[in-house]
Amino acid sequence: MKADCLLIDCHVATLVEGAALYGAITDAAVVIANGRIAWVGSRADLPAVEGAQVERLDGRWITPGLIDCHTHLVFGGDRSAEFEQRLGGANYEQIARAGGGIVSSVKATRAASEDDLFASAMGRLAGLKATGVTTVEIKSGYGLDRETELKMLRVARRIGREGGVRVRTSYLGLHAVPPEYRDDRAAYVDLAIDDILPAAHAEGLVDAVDAYCEPIAFSTEEVSRLFDRARALGLPVKLHADQLSNGGGAALAARHRALSADHIEHATEEGVAAMATAGVVAVLLPGAYLMLRETQAPPVDLLRRHGVRMAVATDCNPGTSPVASMTAALNLACVQFRLTPEEALAGATREAARALGMLDQVGTLEPGKAADLAIWDISRPAELCYWLGKPLHHATYVDGRLA
C-alpha cells in the first residue's frame, strides 16, 4: 500500500457506530494517502506500507477532528454589557425587547468591514482549533440587510479558504427583525426570503438555510415560507427550535425534513417523535443553557427513547454563548444534560457531521473519509469531557496535512 503518512504508537477512537466503546482500537495505526484515510486498525494487522512518513505518537489518542456544527462565529463588537445585565436579573427576552440582544450585534456588524469581521472571527476560531476542531458551521444573521448578510457569508467563505478548517455556511436571515422594519415586519420577511436568500445563493455563499422560531423571533408560518424557498433552491434547512418556549419548532423541523433542530429545551414528546421519524438531528447547545441560566434542559431521555441522534456544539456567539472551546462544550453537555462521555464525543464528531449533511466525508475514522484527525495528550477518551480548561490538544491533521 502506497501512502503519504503512517501514524503508529497510538490509540484510536474511531467513533464508528456499533463498534467497541468510542469505536476504540488500542495499539493502533492509521495510514493516510492523498488526504484520505487509507487504513485504520490494530497495528498487529497493519499491511505493508510504502513511501510513508512515519509519525510515532508516544501512546497518544487520535479521534476524528471535532466538528462545531452550530456557531455564529462572524460578528462585530461584543455584548459583555448584557452579560452584566443578566447577572443583575434581566432575562434574554427583556433585553431583546429593550433593543438589546441580536439587534445590538446587528449595529456593530453592519459598521464593521469584511477585514475587521475576518480578524475578530479568526481570534475566536483559534480557541476552537486549540480544542481539536477541524470543521465549523458559521451562520449569518447579524446583518439583516442584503449588504451585511452577504458580507458575513463572504467572510465565512474566506475563513474556509484561509483558516485551516472546513467551513459550512448557513443563511440565517430570519434571526430578528431589524430596527428599520420594526413597523413593517412583513416587508422584512419578504426581503429576507425573496431578495437576500436568492442573492446569497447566486453568489455561492450558502450551504444551508436556518431560522429562529420563537415568539420573540419568527412564526412557524414565516419560517415555512423561508424553508419552502430554500428547498426550491436545492438547499437543506435547519432550525433554532423550542429554545425559550414550546413553539412547535421540533415538529416544524420534522415537517421540512431539516438536517437539525437546535436547542430544543422545550420540545415535547410529540415533537421529538416527529424528529425521529424524519431523521432530524438534535443539536444540544449547553453554552447557551449555562449563560442564560436556564432551568429546563433538553429532553435527553426522550431523545434516547425515540432514537433521535444528538450532536453537541458551542453556539459561539456574542450574546448567549461566548464559548470558543469545543472541549468545554463537551464537559457542559455531560454535566448539565447528563450525556455520557461517549454520547458527547459522538455528538461532536459523528452526529455533528450528520447534522451538517457531511457524514459521508468526516465525523468518523474510516477508510475513504477525509483524514481530519485530532491528536490528544490523554490516557482515555473520557478525559475530553472530564477536564475543563486543561490543554489536551497535541496536533491536528486536516485533509491529511498537519495543521
Side-chain angles (χ1 to χ4, degrees):
M1 176 188 298
K2 292 185 177 180
D4 302 313
C5 183
L6 169 62
L7 305 178
I8 60 172
D9 191 12
C10 61
H11 312 295
V12 174
T14 67
L15 274 298
V16 172
E17 204 166 9
L21 188 67
Y22 303 101
I25 304 170
T26 57
D27 192 14
V30 179
V31 181
I32 298 171
N34 299 317
R36 319 298 289 183
I37 298 170
W39 188 90
V40 58
S42 171
R43 182 161 55 161
D45 300 325
L46 178 66
V49 176
E50 299 177 9
Q53 178 177 335
V54 179
E55 298 286 346
R56 296 182 178 275
L57 297 181
D58 300 323
R60 294 182 173 90
W61 277 85
I62 303 175
T63 69
L66 302 191
I67 300 168
D68 197 348
C69 64
H70 182 129
T71 85
H72 305 254
L73 198 70
V74 175
F75 57 84
D78 70 48
R79 279 152 56 189
S80 56
E82 293 177 17
F83 175 66
E84 292 179 312
Q85 291 172 29
R86 286 199 302 273
L87 292 176
N91 64 31
Y92 181 82
E93 187 168 351
Q94 289 169 334
I95 291 170
R97 294 195 184 280
I102 294 167
V103 173
S104 65
S105 289
V106 169
K107 182 178 180 180
T109 304
R110 287 179 176 180
S113 70
E114 286 193 22
D115 285 343
D116 289 340
L117 291 175
F118 176 78
S120 65
M122 287 294 287
R124 294 180 283 275
L125 180 65
L128 299 179
K129 290 171 66 176
T131 52
V133 169
T134 56
T135 298
V136 183
E137 183 260 11
I138 302 176
K139 305 178 191 296
S140 68
Y142 292 129
L144 309 184
D145 61 21
R146 179 171 174 155
E147 178 185 357
T148 317
E149 287 291 297
L150 297 184
K151 177 172 67 174
M152 292 183 69
L153 292 167
R154 289 186 196 111
V155 170
R157 285 284 191 242
R158 181 179 171 188
I159 292 169
R161 293 191 303 270
E162 302 177 26
V165 293
R166 299 181 192 277
V167 168
R168 287 293 180 270
T169 60
S170 296
Y171 168 67
L172 183 57
L174 293 191
H175 197 196
V177 177
E180 65 269 25
Y181 284 92
R182 187 170 292 138
D183 298 324
D184 196 356
R185 174 193 186 91
Y188 176 69
V189 173
D190 289 345
L191 177 74
I193 296 173
D194 299 328
D195 180 67
I196 305 175
L197 172 57
H201 178 256
E203 200 172 319
L205 299 176
V206 185
D207 296 319
V209 173
D210 199 347
Y212 185 24
C213 187
E214 281 287 347
I216 63 169
F218 294 92
S219 68
T220 56
E221 293 77 17
E222 291 164 332
V223 172
S224 288
R225 273 191 59 203
L226 172 70
F227 284 2
D228 287 343
R229 188 59 183 269
R231 288 299 190 191
L233 294 171
L235 295 169
V237 300
K238 55 183 62 183
L239 187 65
H240 287 62
D242 300 334
Q243 178 187 10
L244 305 175
S245 62
N246 173 26
L252 176 65
R255 284 199 299 275
H256 287 273
R257 300 282 172 174
L259 289 172
S260 68
D262 302 24
H263 290 291
I264 67 163
E265 281 88 336
H266 293 267
T268 64
E269 183 162 11
E270 181 182 5
V272 168
M275 288 173 61
T277 300
V280 179
V281 177
V283 178
L284 308 183
L285 303 169
Y289 180 89
L290 173 73
M291 295 299 294
L292 292 173
R293 297 191 291 181
E294 295 290 350
T295 57
Q296 181 163 328
V300 169
D301 286 341
L302 284 178
L303 297 171
R304 289 176 178 140
R305 190 181 313 157
H306 287 275
V308 175
R309 310 291 186 144
M310 293 182 287
V312 176
T314 64
D315 193 14
C316 180
N317 76 71
T320 61
S321 189
V323 177
S325 165
M326 199 65 217
T327 51
L330 293 176
N331 175 278
L332 293 173
C334 293
V335 172
Q336 295 184 136
F337 299 160
R338 300 296 189 266
L339 266 62
T340 67
E342 184 183 31
E343 285 175 327
L345 189 54
T349 52
R350 183 182 70 235
E351 304 310 332
R354 196 188 307 273
L356 295 179
M358 297 178 67
L359 188 55
D360 61 331
Q361 304 171 54
V362 293
T364 59
L365 300 183
E366 298 179 82
K369 289 195 174 182
D372 290 7
L373 320 173
I375 302 172
W376 306 94
D377 290 317
I378 56 175
S379 59
R380 55 198 307 266
E383 287 190 63
L384 297 175
C385 305
Y386 168 68
W387 291 106
L388 189 58
K390 179 182 177 181
L392 303 172
H393 178 247
H394 174 73
T396 296
Y397 283 78
V398 178
D399 268 334
R401 294 187 296 271
L402 188 63

